[in-house]
Amino acid sequence: MFEALTDRMQGIFKDLRNRGRLGEPEVDAALKEVRLALLEADVNFRVARDFIKRVRERAIGVEVSESLTPAQQVLRIVNEELVETLGGEPGRIDWTGEMPAPVLLVGLNGQGKTTSAAKLALTLRKLGQRPLLIACDTFRPAAVLQLVTLGKQIACDVYEEGTAARPVDIAMRGLQWGRDHGHTVAIVDTAGRQQVDEALMAELVELKAMVKPNEVLLVASAMTGQEAVNVAQVFHDKLGLTGLILTQIDGDARGGAALSIRAVTGIPVKFLGVGEKVEPLTSFYPDRLASRILGMGDMLTLIEQTQDMYSQEEAISLQKKLVKGQFTFDDFLKQMQQIRKMGSLQSIIEMIPGLNQLMKRPEMAKALDEKQFKRVEAIILSMTLQERALPSLIDGSRRRRIAVGSGTKVQDVNQLLNQFRDMQSMMKQMSKGSVPKHLAKLMR
Amino acid sequence: MMRFFRRAAPPPSEPDTSATEAAPASVEASLSSTRKGFFGAVRGLFQTQRSLDDGFWDELEERLIQADLGAHTTGDLIEELQSQHARLPFQDPKAAELALRAELLTLLKTTGDTGLFLPDVQDGIAIILVIGVNGVGKTTSIAKLTHYFQGGGRHPILIAGDTFRAAAIDQLKIWGDRTGVMVIAQAPGSDPASVVFDGIGAAVGRGADTVLIDTAGRLHTKINLMEELKKVRRVVERRHPGAPHETLLVLDAITGQNGLMQAKSFAHAVGVTGLILSKLDSSAKGGVVFAIAQELKLPIKFIGTGERLEDLSPFDPDEFLHALFT
C-alpha cells in the first residue's frame, strides 16, 4: 500500500547526485517522508516531531559522501538516531537481592501478559534460573487456569489460590512458597487493566509495595496505536517500570509504539514476544526494529524465520546439492512450499529491502505472481519422480503429458524447463564464487 | 427475500436510538474517557476564538493523528476541509468543527447498515462467527452479545471454537454459566472445524435460534491459521447453507494503523460483515475505524464499553460522533 520509504526518498534526491552538502530544502522534503513513515508505524505524533527535529539538526550541512546518495545519507542519519533512541541493554534482568527475585508483569487487557509470563519463565530457565509462576490475575475468567495450563506445558511450577484471595496475599504466599522450594525467580502475572480504572491500579500499587519486585515489566502489543505513550506514562508514574516486553511482533505491525514508549519513559525494550505457542521470548535488537519502523524491511527476521523452517541438516544437504548442481525439481518444489509456509509472497517481499521497488517491474511482478506459483507447482507435481530428478528425460511426448496433467500448455512446461536449466547453471557459477552479471546488476 | 433478513430487533431494554434525541446514558458515560482524551482536545481546539491559520490546521492534524485516524485519512480530511474553507471560508472554528463532523459522519455512513442481518427467529437458526487477532476481546464480546440477544428474546448457544489457547474453553464456559446458556465444546486441541461442524448440529438439535461461534485469536499474517479459519467458515457454510449470517471482526480500540491491515486480511480471507470495536472504555480512541471505513467500507456494528455483560451497544454513527464531540 505504501511505497517503501527509500523509493520516495530516492525520488526527492533524484536531481542531487553526489555533490555538495545536504541543503535545507532537500532535507526537509526527505524528512517529510520520514515523518509520514513514522506516523504510519504508530509512532506518537509528538515523539515523531521531536525525533524529526533532532535528525534535521544533524543532517543539514552534512557533506555528501562519495559512496552514498543523498537519500541514503539522510536515511543513515535517521537510522542511527532511531537505533540510538531505541537502544538499551536487551534482555537483562536485575538479579540482586533475595531469592526468588520477583518480576511483576503489568499491562492492559489482551496484550499478552499471561502468555508472556510463561514465555519469560521458559527464557529464564534457559539462562539457568528456576522460575516460579504466580497467578495473581483473579479478575479475568479462567486466567488462573490458563497460567496453570501453560505452566504444565513447559513443566514450570505455578503457585495459585484460585480467584477468592486478594492478589497481594497470593503474591506474598507465592513468594514464600518459592523460597521454600528453591526457586530463583518469581514471575507474577497480574490482572489486565484499563489505565483509567483507579481501583485496579491501586491494587497494583499495593502489590508492588509489598512484593518489592526487581523488575516491573510492561507488556504491550506491537499493534498499539498512539495511546501507547499515555498507557506507558500512567503505568510508569504509578509503578516505576523497568522494561518493556513487546508482543505480537510477528505480525505486520511496524511497532512504532516501542519507540514512543522508549522516548517518553526511557525504559528499554527487554524482550520480544513471538508466536502463539509457548516458546522463549526473543532478544531485542534496536537496529532491526529501526528498519521495521521505517518500513524498510526486516531482512534479519526473515532470515531467522527461514532458519526456523529449515532443519540444520536440510540446509546442509541443500547446499551440497547446489554446489554439485544436483538440485532437482523435487528440491525446487520443497523450496517453494517452504517459502509459502512463511507467509504470503507479498509479506516476504516486504521484508526484503529494495525488492519492493524491483517488484514494480512488470516482468518481476509476473514472475512472483501467486497464480504463477501454483502453476509451476502443478507442472512439477505432474512429473514422475524420475523426471523430477532427471529433467533431461523430458522429451516432447512427456512434455505434452505434463501439460495435460497440470492443465497448462506445452509452452509453459518448456518455459519452466528452460528456467530451471538456467537456474542450475547459475547456481553452479555462484557456488564457484562468481556472481552472474545480470544478477549482480539486479542486486545492486 | 429481505423479509427473512430483517434487522435484528434491539433488546427492549435499549431505547430506540433512531427515535430519540438523547443517546443512551451508558454509551455517553463510557465514552467519557475517550472524549476526555484527544477527541476532547479536538473539541477544545474548535472552541477557541482563533483564526483558521496554518497553526490551526497543524494542530488539527496533530489531534486527528493522536486519535489514530492515521496520516492518510487525516491528510484527506484536512485537505477536504481546507478546500471547503477556500471556496467558502468558515466563519470560526465552530463552523470548521461542524464540517469535520459532517465529513466523519459521511465516512461512517458510507459503510452501509450497521444493524445485524439475521433471519427472524421463526425462520431458522442465526449463525454468527466471531473472529480477530489475539487479545482483542473475542470471548468477552461473545458473552456480551449473548446477553444482548437474550434481551431481544433470543436463545443463543455458544460454540467453543478456540481450541488452541490454554483455558479459552473454560473462559467461555464461565461466561456461559453467568448468562445461563449452553456452551458446546470439545477437548482442547481438537480440530476447530470439526468442533464447529458438530456444534451447529447439536445447537440445531437443542432448538437454539442463535449460535455464536468463538474462534482462536490469530495474527492475520499467519497463513496456516488463516487457512484454518477459512476452513471453519467453509464448514459453517456447508453445515447450514446461508450461514454464517454475520462474520464479526473484533478490533481493540487501542490498535493503531495495523487495524487496517487486520480488517483487510480477515475480510479477504473470510468475508467480514462488520466490526465490534472493543475496549472503548479505556482512553483509546479507535480512530483507525475511520481509516477502515474509508478504505474498506466495513460497518461498525457494536461497541464494547466496559467489563460488564451490559457493556455492549449497537453502533450508531450519529450517537458515536455526538458522544465524541460533546
Side-chain angles (χ1 to χ4, degrees):
Chain A
M1 180 166 59
F2 309 109
E3 283 175 87
L5 183 60
T6 14
D7 298 8
R8 290 186 294 196
M9 303 257 303
Q10 298 288 11
I12 292 169
F13 289 106
K14 217 168 38 215
D15 306 325
L16 184 98
R17 278 213 175 271
N18 300 347
R19 62 184 157 88
R21 294 167 187 276
L22 294 175
E24 284 192 31
E26 299 94 51
V27 169
D28 284 339
L31 288 182
K32 224 170 125 185
E33 299 292 339
V34 174
R35 174 179 172 275
L36 210 57
L38 293 178
L39 292 177
E40 288 300 340
D42 293 320
V43 174
N44 179 271
F45 189 91
R46 285 178 199 174
V47 172
R49 189 172 53 198
D50 295 348
F51 180 82
I52 294 291
K53 220 163 109 191
R54 285 207 303 277
V55 173
R56 189 175 185 275
E57 273 162 26
R58 273 184 65 180
I60 287 175
V62 164
E63 206 163 321
V64 177
S65 81
E66 292 284 309
S67 53
L68 296 173
T69 65
Q72 286 170 333
Q73 192 109 10
V74 172
L75 270 183
R76 192 163 97 173
I77 297 169
V78 169
N79 200 53
E80 279 171 13
E81 192 70 36
L82 258 182
V83 171
E84 233 173 87
T85 313
L86 286 168
E89 322 93 86
R92 206 164 298 157
I93 295 278
D94 171 17
W95 296 115
T96 52
E98 213 177 316
M99 294 287 156
V103 174
L104 210 56
L105 295 193
V106 300
L108 297 182
N109 293 320
Q111 305 286 300
K113 273 182 305 300
T114 307
T115 308
S116 294
K119 288 180 175 183
L120 182 59
L122 201 59
T123 313
L124 295 179
R125 193 164 60 197
K126 272 193 162 183
L127 296 173
Q129 299 292 330
R130 283 204 66 214
L132 169 69
L133 290 162
I134 303 180
C136 288
D137 181 358
T138 56
F139 187 75
R140 182 168 60 94
V144 172
L145 190 59
Q146 185 185 353
L147 194 65
V148 169
T149 311
L150 293 174
K152 235 180 247 161
Q153 280 175 21
I154 56 171
C156 175
D157 285 338
V158 177
Y159 183 84
E160 58 103 2
E161 296 182 12
T163 56
R166 291 171 66 236
V168 177
D169 299 333
I170 299 174
M172 295 312 287
R173 287 192 285 265
L175 284 178
Q176 185 57 50
W177 192 90
R179 243 187 311 277
D180 297 344
H181 290 77
H183 288 281
T184 59
V185 55
I187 300 160
V188 183
D189 184 26
T190 65
R193 47 209 74 214
Q194 312 289 0
Q195 54 155 315
V196 287
D197 193 328
E198 291 296 327
L200 285 169
M201 210 61 184
E203 174 193 304
L204 261 193
V205 171
E206 190 192 358
L207 194 59
K208 182 190 172 182
M210 295 299 290
V211 167
K212 298 188 183 61
N214 288 34
E215 300 271 352
V216 183
L217 302 179
L218 177 69
V219 181
S221 164
M223 298 173 177
T224 312
Q226 296 280 323
E227 191 59 16
V229 275
N230 300 320
V231 173
Q233 192 69 66
V234 171
F235 275 101
H236 194 48
D237 288 349
K238 303 243 175 181
L239 300 166
L241 300 173
T242 62
L244 174 70
I245 298 180
L246 190 66
T247 60
Q248 298 185 316
I249 194 77
D250 45 340
D252 56 0
R254 305 240 299 263
L259 180 70
S260 305
I261 293 173
R262 169 78 177 164
V264 167
T265 62
I267 62 167
V269 182
K270 292 219 166 172
F271 296 103
L272 304 178
V274 174
E276 52 278 322
K277 300 199 189 79
V278 186
E279 44 204 306
L281 296 167
T282 53
S283 320
F284 165 72
Y285 301 97
D287 47 340
R288 293 191 196 181
L289 192 61
S291 53
R292 184 177 175 130
I293 288 175
L294 290 174
M296 290 183 8
D298 193 346
M299 213 37 211
L300 290 163
T301 301
L302 177 67
I303 291 167
E304 272 179 6
Q305 277 182 16
T306 324
Q307 281 169 345
D308 284 351
M309 289 292 173
Y310 281 118
S311 69
Q312 199 66 23
E313 300 99 86
E314 258 181 298
I316 290 170
S317 98
L318 186 68
Q319 205 175 2
K320 272 188 193 153
K321 281 178 172 175
L322 284 176
V323 172
K324 289 184 187 161
Q326 288 171 346
F327 188 70
T328 69
F329 268 118
D330 252 335
D331 300 318
F332 186 58
L333 189 65
K334 217 193 243 167
Q335 291 268 305
M336 274 189 6
Q337 285 162 348
Q338 293 282 10
I339 288 175
R340 290 182 65 82
K341 253 196 258 168
M342 283 195 309
S344 72
L345 271 180
Q346 196 54 41
S347 71
I348 296 169
I349 287 161
E350 274 163 15
M351 279 196 264
I352 305 176
L355 201 55
N356 242 332
Q357 202 174 11
L358 203 61
M359 285 301 297
K360 288 202 194 94
R361 299 188 195 180
E363 73 269 17
M364 284 304 287
K366 194 173 162 245
L368 281 168
D369 181 23
E370 293 273 349
K371 271 191 207 139
Q372 186 74 13
F373 231 71
K374 280 195 179 143
R375 195 174 308 149
V376 168
E377 199 174 353
I379 293 175
I380 299 175
L381 287 171
S382 294
M383 296 177 186
T384 65
L385 291 180
Q386 211 183 5
E387 285 166 353
R388 289 183 211 173
L390 215 64
S392 57
L393 273 178
I394 304 176
D395 58 13
S397 96
R398 284 179 193 251
R399 283 174 204 217
R400 273 195 299 280
R401 193 206 73 239
I402 292 167
V404 170
S406 58
T408 56
K409 297 199 190 86
V410 177
Q411 291 96 296
D412 295 328
V413 180
N414 285 338
Q415 200 187 357
L416 178 65
L417 288 171
N418 289 337
Q419 279 173 351
F420 189 75
R421 210 177 34 236
D422 287 352
M423 196 169 72
Q424 266 187 328
S425 67
M426 196 168 81
M427 282 175 172
K428 252 190 240 167
Q429 235 178 314
M430 278 170 81
S431 66
K432 285 181 200 138
S434 64
V435 176
K437 269 202 192 93
H438 61 282
L439 199 67
K441 226 192 298 174
L442 278 183
M443 291 193 329
R444 233 196 346 239
Chain B
M1 178 68 193
M2 284 309 288
R3 193 163 54 89
F4 299 106
F5 292 92
R6 245 176 274 146
R7 187 181 167 144
S13 58
E14 294 276 340
D16 184 1
T17 47
S18 60
T20 53
E21 67 278 44
S26 69
V27 174
E28 184 104 3
S30 54
L31 284 180
S32 67
S33 47
T34 301
R35 245 180 13 232
K36 274 184 225 131
F38 287 103
F39 267 112
V42 171
R43 219 175 57 250
L45 179 65
F46 288 124
Q47 279 161 352
T48 54
Q49 283 302 318
R50 56 189 297 179
S51 60
L52 302 182
D53 53 10
D54 284 354
F56 173 84
W57 297 112
D58 285 352
E59 216 168 305
L60 181 58
E61 182 197 25
E62 168 172 356
R63 304 291 156 81
L64 293 176
I65 284 177
Q66 298 267 33
D68 280 325
L69 269 80
H72 283 257
T73 306
T74 299
D76 291 351
L77 281 168
I78 289 194
E79 213 169 279
E80 171 59 29
L81 289 184
Q82 279 176 335
S83 86
Q84 285 182 21
H85 185 54
R87 277 199 306 274
L88 185 71
F90 299 124
Q91 295 289 325
D92 49 19
K94 188 76 196 156
E97 179 196 336
L98 290 177
L100 174 65
R101 277 171 73 164
E103 285 304 317
L104 290 172
L105 196 61
T106 312
L107 273 185
L108 291 179
K109 285 198 165 166
T110 51
T111 61
D113 205 319
T114 58
L116 291 178
F117 288 90
L118 301 176
D120 284 341
V121 170
Q122 64 272 20
D123 294 329
I125 197 162
I127 299 180
I128 299 168
L129 193 59
V130 180
I131 60 177
V133 302
N134 319 63
V136 290
K138 278 180 298 302
T139 308
T140 310
S141 293
I142 284 182
K144 292 177 183 174
L145 277 173
T146 304
H147 182 76
Y148 169 81
F149 283 129
Q150 286 174 323
R154 285 181 175 265
H155 302 90
I157 278 185
L158 315 182
I159 297 179
D162 182 357
T163 58
F164 180 78
R165 205 200 70 202
I169 295 171
D170 300 277
Q171 190 182 347
L172 194 67
K173 279 184 175 164
I174 290 172
W175 283 118
D177 285 345
R178 289 187 193 169
T179 50
V181 301
M182 177 181 254
V183 177
I184 299 172
Q186 290 179 23
S190 321
D191 172 38
S194 85
V195 172
V196 167
F197 187 87
D198 295 348
I200 292 175
V204 170
R206 286 172 202 278
D209 50 35
T210 310
V211 171
L212 292 162
I213 302 173
D214 191 16
T215 61
R218 64 201 74 222
L219 287 179
H220 52 289
T221 48
K222 303 273 165 117
I223 292 261
N224 52 341
L225 296 180
M226 292 305 271
E227 287 298 326
E228 178 191 276
L229 191 61
K230 284 187 199 169
K231 186 173 165 197
V232 166
R233 196 203 147 95
R234 279 198 304 274
V235 161
V236 173
E237 281 168 15
R238 209 173 317 138
R239 193 75 178 84
H240 195 86
H245 303 96
E246 292 279 355
T247 303
L248 301 178
L249 175 71
V250 184
L251 189 74
D252 187 334
I254 205 171
T255 311
Q257 297 313 299
N258 194 248
L260 187 58
M261 307 299 281
Q262 291 174 25
K264 234 185 231 178
S265 307
F266 277 103
H268 180 70
V270 291
V272 173
T273 58
L275 302 177
I276 299 177
L277 187 58
S278 67
K279 307 188 200 175
L280 259 182
D281 51 325
S282 71
S283 52
K285 298 146 296 278
V288 73
V289 293
F290 291 101
I292 293 175
Q294 188 186 27
E295 198 160 327
L296 302 175
K297 309 273 177 258
L298 274 181
I300 310 169
K301 300 215 165 179
F302 288 96
I303 54 175
T305 52
E307 275 149 353
R308 298 168 311 151
L309 276 172
E310 307 83 66
D311 296 333
L312 180 85
S313 314
F315 180 72
D316 180 330
D318 296 288
E319 182 191 300
F320 185 65
L321 279 180
H322 182 75
L324 289 181
F325 274 93
T326 43

